[in-house]
């Protein structure tokens, strides 16, 4: 693809024009070159706002805290309705994928609670194949989502106490697992520690891939399903603020995936189950199902690239930019996404 084609396609959406004006106003012309140069190898055009059942930028900061009931013993009960359903998603402009989803989106909704909460997941299989919901973390084996298999039209209620605090994947455990996973039946469960974490801009990133030609290998790689999405729509954060990324690897077919931050370093909290820092680094390698919490600040204005450090994955879509800005008008999140609460105390209160 020629550079002029990429630039014209981006400008046609209006996004490129706005971003460029903002950067020029901030005297950031060198960064225009950085993003334009890399867009040469990115996709042309844009996906629809509902491409993966939710806008990929909104997905970053959307936490579903469930319906909340205070139990007589003082505990918090959080309840969710999760429905497995088939849905076509768009993983790159014009590239559709016949997904199997939780609640119509890939990744599924990010469920959030506090350690010690009682969780109840009302699962309905409205898809066309048997499915389950298998959570990582502690729970009775009967609640493990391996058996019973929930047949088409069937229901099952998963109920268990949230522990330990940390970041956990959930996914379907029907056979063949490879198929049920890569079709899109996965998501994140964040269990906050009782004392919470420091306020930060919190972002959920699920590394995934899509086999679009049924050859048992991925043709498209991404975080949060859309190839190159965060190159076309850099993730804007405030210069110097604490950023916390909840990173999960749910890529099928490849044994590992990785995350690399340019021009900065992050504190690594593996699995998020301990509060002390495991490592200070700029690359993290994760096996399928592994996850970690990353914390960093971006102290200069401009665009910080991030991508898989396997070049093949990066060049097939798993690449994006954080954009460190000073002007609050430039943020692409609602205030609700800013400094998202360290403590999960909110939710929809049941009547
Ligand atoms: Cu399944
Ligand atoms: Cu698993």
């Amino acid at each position: 693809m020629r550079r002029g084609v990429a630039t014209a396609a981006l400008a046609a959406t209006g996004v490129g024009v706005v971003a460029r004006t903002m950067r020029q106003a901030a005297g950031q012309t060198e960064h225009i070159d950085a993003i334009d140069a890399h867009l040469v190898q990115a996709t042309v055009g844009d996906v629809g706002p509902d491409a993966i059942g939710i806008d990929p930028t909104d997905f970053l900061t959307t936490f579903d805290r469930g319906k909340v009931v205070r139990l007589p013993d003082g505990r918090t009960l959080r309840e969710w309705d999760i429905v497995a359903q088939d849905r076509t998603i768009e993983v790159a402009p014009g590239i559709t994928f016949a997904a199997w989803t939780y609640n119509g989106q890939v990744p599924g909704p990010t469920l959030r609670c506090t350690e010690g909460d009682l969780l109840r997941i009302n699962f309905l299989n409205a898809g066309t194949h048997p499915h389950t919901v298998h959570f990582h973390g502690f729970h009775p084996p009967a609640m493990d989502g391996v058996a019973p298999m929930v047949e088409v039209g069937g229901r099952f209620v998963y109920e268990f106490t949230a522990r330990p605090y940390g970041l956990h994947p959930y996914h379907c455990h029907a056979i063949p697992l490879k198929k049920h996973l890569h079709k899109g039946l996965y998501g994140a469960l964040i269990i906050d520690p009782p004392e919470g974490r420091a306020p930060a801009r919190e972002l959920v990133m699920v590394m995934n891939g899509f086999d679009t030609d049924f050859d048992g290998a991925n043709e498209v790689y991404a975080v949060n399903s859309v190839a190159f999405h965060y190159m076309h729509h850099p993730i804007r954060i405030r210069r110097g603020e604490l950023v916390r990324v909840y990173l999960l690897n749910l890529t099928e077919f490849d044994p590992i995936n990785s995350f690399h931050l340019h021009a900065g370093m992050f504190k690594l909290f593996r699995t998020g189950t301990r509060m002390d820092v495991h490592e200070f680094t700029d690359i993290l390698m994760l096996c399928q199902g592994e996850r970690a919490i990353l914390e960093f600040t971006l102290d200069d204005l401009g665009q910080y690239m991030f991508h898989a450090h396997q070049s093949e994955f990066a060049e097939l879509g798993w690449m994006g930019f954080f954009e460190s800005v000073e002007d609050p008008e430039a943020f692409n999140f609602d205030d609700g996404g800013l400094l998202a609460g360290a403590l999960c105390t909110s939710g929809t209160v049941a009547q």
Side-chain angles (χ1 to χ4, degrees):
M1 179 206 316
R2 287 176 296 114
R3 174 187 171 130
V5 176
T7 305
L10 191 60
T13 67
V15 174
V17 173
V18 173
R20 171 162 307 187
T21 304
M22 188 194 70
R23 288 199 298 275
Q24 281 174 336
Q28 300 282 310
T29 45
E30 70 276 24
H31 298 296
I32 294 173
D33 291 337
I35 194 168
D36 281 359
H38 280 86
L39 282 173
V40 170
Q41 65 190 62
T43 45
V44 178
D46 208 349
V47 296
D50 197 31
I52 57 167
I54 180 172
D55 180 275
T57 296
D58 292 341
F59 176 83
L60 290 163
T61 56
T62 300
F63 303 98
D64 187 342
R65 292 173 160 90
K67 226 175 359 171
V68 177
V69 174
R70 196 71 59 194
L71 298 173
D73 65 359
R75 292 178 75 194
T76 297
L77 165 68
R78 292 182 191 271
E79 192 166 358
W80 292 272
D81 294 328
I82 299 286
V83 180
Q85 53 198 107
D86 298 358
R87 186 186 195 280
T88 298
I89 61 172
E90 194 179 5
V91 296
I95 308 288
T96 54
F97 181 80
W100 298 346
T101 76
Y102 289 127
N103 288 4
Q105 62 176 77
V106 180
T110 300
L111 310 182
R112 190 156 190 178
C113 59
T114 300
E115 190 176 60
D117 290 349
L118 182 63
L119 311 186
R120 182 180 297 154
I121 294 95
N122 303 306
F123 177 58
L124 165 66
N125 183 359
T128 50
H129 298 76
H131 298 303
T132 67
V133 191
H134 158 71
F135 289 89
H136 285 225
F138 288 116
H139 44 252
M143 294 291 133
D144 193 41
V146 170
M149 204 46 59
V150 182
E151 299 298 331
V152 173
R155 294 172 184 271
F156 192 84
V157 179
Y158 300 96
E159 193 170 300
F160 55 93
T161 299
R163 69 191 181 99
Y165 72 76
L167 174 59
H168 307 295
Y170 68 86
H171 58 84
C172 180
H173 215 288
I175 306 295
L177 211 56
K178 235 193 306 207
K179 177 130 188 167
H180 286 251
L181 267 164
H182 106 266
K183 284 290 242 177
L185 287 165
Y186 47 76
L189 168 68
I190 298 173
I191 303 180
D192 288 317
E195 65 279 16
R197 297 179 190 273
R201 180 184 299 279
E202 301 198 308
L203 307 167
V204 178
M205 293 191 177
V206 178
M207 302 193 286
N208 53 4
F210 298 92
D211 173 13
T212 55
D213 64 0
F214 320 112
D215 64 349
N218 295 310
E219 280 67 51
V220 172
Y221 291 87
V223 269
N224 303 339
S225 306
V226 179
F228 300 113
H229 189 78
Y230 304 119
M231 292 191 73
H232 293 305
H233 306 275
I235 302 168
R236 296 197 190 113
I237 60 168
R238 193 183 313 224
R239 169 160 64 165
E241 75 179 334
L242 180 63
V243 180
R244 179 176 299 122
V245 173
Y246 293 90
L247 180 74
L248 300 93
N249 178 17
L250 284 154
T251 314
E252 190 52 77
F253 304 124
D254 298 287
I256 59 160
N257 204 330
S258 61
F259 176 99
H260 169 48
L261 175 66
H262 277 229
M265 305 280 285
F266 53 81
K267 290 179 185 166
L268 169 63
F269 303 84
R270 284 193 176 274
T271 320
T273 46
R274 280 173 22 192
M275 299 301 272
D276 56 323
V277 178
H278 286 76
E279 197 179 350
F280 189 53
T281 184
D282 61 10
I283 294 185
L284 171 63
M285 183 176 83
L286 296 175
C287 182
Q288 186 188 37
E290 273 195 302
R291 62 282 187 189
I293 297 175
L294 283 45
E295 289 186 357
F296 54 90
T297 58
L298 303 179
D299 298 328
D300 290 301
L301 291 175
Q303 286 157 343
Y304 290 67
M305 182 173 258
F306 62 94
H307 58 81
H309 214 282
Q310 292 111 305
S311 310
E312 181 198 356
F313 296 6
E315 288 167 6
L316 290 172
W318 180 172
M319 196 189 311
F321 283 104
F322 295 109
E323 183 162 8
S324 171
V325 297
E326 225 146 29
D327 177 9
E329 295 295 308
F331 293 147
N332 46 9
F333 300 110
D334 298 339
D335 281 343
L338 286 173
L339 301 177
L343 201 53
C344 182
T345 51
S346 58
T348 313
V349 178
Q351 299 304 308

